[in-house]
Amino acid sequence: MKIQFSCNTCGKAFAAKESLAGRRVKCSGCGAELIVPAAPTKPAPIPVPVPDDDEEPEPLDLSIKRTEDDGLDMTPMVDVTFLLLIFFMVTAAFSLQMSLEVPPPDPDEAAEQQTPEDLDTEDSIIIQISKDNTVWVNDREAPSEQDLMIKLREALDDSDGGRPSTLIVMADRECRHEVVVRALDAGNAEGMEDIRLAYVDEDEL
């Protein structure tokens, strides 16, 4: 086995016998003085235990050992929930619903049932609601909520004796309640001071 080494000055490679280890030699390329290094030692082989024929080999354990689970930490989730709750509470917007002030009945006055003929309709605007939920404003049909607002404004502007302050809603007893509320809200939106509601039968409309 030869010793492989190279010159530190010019980098020329050499090969020398093991018997020349530790001797001084000259580089044939640059003339520098070199020392032959010692031969590398071979690593000792690792002994492999050989089981006896009578001895049974131990089984190989391939099972995965699991550590104890401490559970999921819910603290961050609770913090996020409270932050979302506070956010929605601060940014929530509440819409104000329209309402009508209804004076309480006077207990000293005797209750009287009025008929459509008893109502003073001379200086008033009349909204009629039929059984099939059709709406008329002063005998002009208003098929939608927008038409109801337009015809109510036209009726207020076309009045000869000044702007009427009384609105009479004459609704059939079998019409839908939401249509009646829509008519009352329309009068309230136009600033009608006196709004009256009368439920009648279809043949009285």
Side-chain angles (χ1 to χ4, degrees):
M1 182 177 178
K2 293 187 177 182
I3 303 173
Q4 303 288 338
F5 66 100
S6 60
C7 178
N8 297 329
T9 303
C10 63
K12 188 175 181 179
F14 297 95
K17 296 181 180 180
E18 294 182 3
S19 58
L20 297 177
R23 294 188 180 184
R24 295 179 180 272
V25 294
K26 287 186 177 182
C27 177
S28 59
C30 61
E33 189 173 309
L34 305 174
I35 299 176
V36 180
T41 58
K42 296 181 180 180
I46 300 175
V48 178
V50 180
D52 298 337
D53 295 338
D54 298 336
E55 184 180 356
E56 295 182 358
E58 296 182 358
L60 184 62
D61 187 10
L62 298 178
S63 61
I64 301 176
K65 296 182 179 179
R66 298 182 179 271
T67 58
E68 294 183 359
D69 189 7
D70 296 335
L72 183 63
D73 188 8
M74 299 295 292
T75 304
M77 188 176 298
V78 173
D79 294 341
V80 172
T81 304
F82 276 108
L83 288 176
L84 290 175
L85 179 60
I86 295 173
F87 172 77
F88 286 120
M89 290 175 60
V90 173
T91 59
F94 301 96
S95 60
L96 297 178
Q97 296 183 353
M98 302 177 62
S99 60
L100 296 175
E101 293 184 2
V102 179
D106 190 356
D108 297 334
E109 295 182 359
E112 296 181 359
Q113 183 176 3
Q114 292 183 342
T115 62
E117 290 78 8
D118 298 334
L119 297 175
D120 185 10
T121 60
E122 183 177 356
D123 296 331
S124 305
I125 295 177
I126 300 176
I127 296 179
Q128 298 178 353
I129 304 174
S130 63
K131 182 179 180 180
D132 57 354
N133 302 309
T134 305
V135 182
W136 285 276
V137 179
N138 285 351
D139 297 332
R140 298 175 60 188
E141 185 177 358
S144 64
E145 183 177 0
Q146 185 176 4
D147 292 334
L148 173 61
M149 297 295 297
I150 293 174
K151 288 181 172 53
L152 182 58
R153 291 172 186 172
E154 292 176 353
L156 290 172
D157 296 336
D158 296 342
S159 180
D160 297 334
R163 180 183 175 91
S165 60
T166 303
L167 174 65
I168 300 176
V169 180
M170 301 175 63
D172 188 90
R173 298 182 187 276
E174 299 184 8
C175 68
R176 299 179 63 178
H177 181 68
E178 61 177 341
V179 182
V180 178
V181 174
R182 187 187 307 166
L184 297 177
D185 289 342
N188 190 27
E190 293 299 327
M192 305 294 291
E193 298 177 358
D194 187 10
I195 300 177
R196 302 181 183 182
L197 174 61
Y199 283 100
V200 296
D201 296 327
E202 186 173 7
D203 53 356
E204 297 178 0
L205 290 176

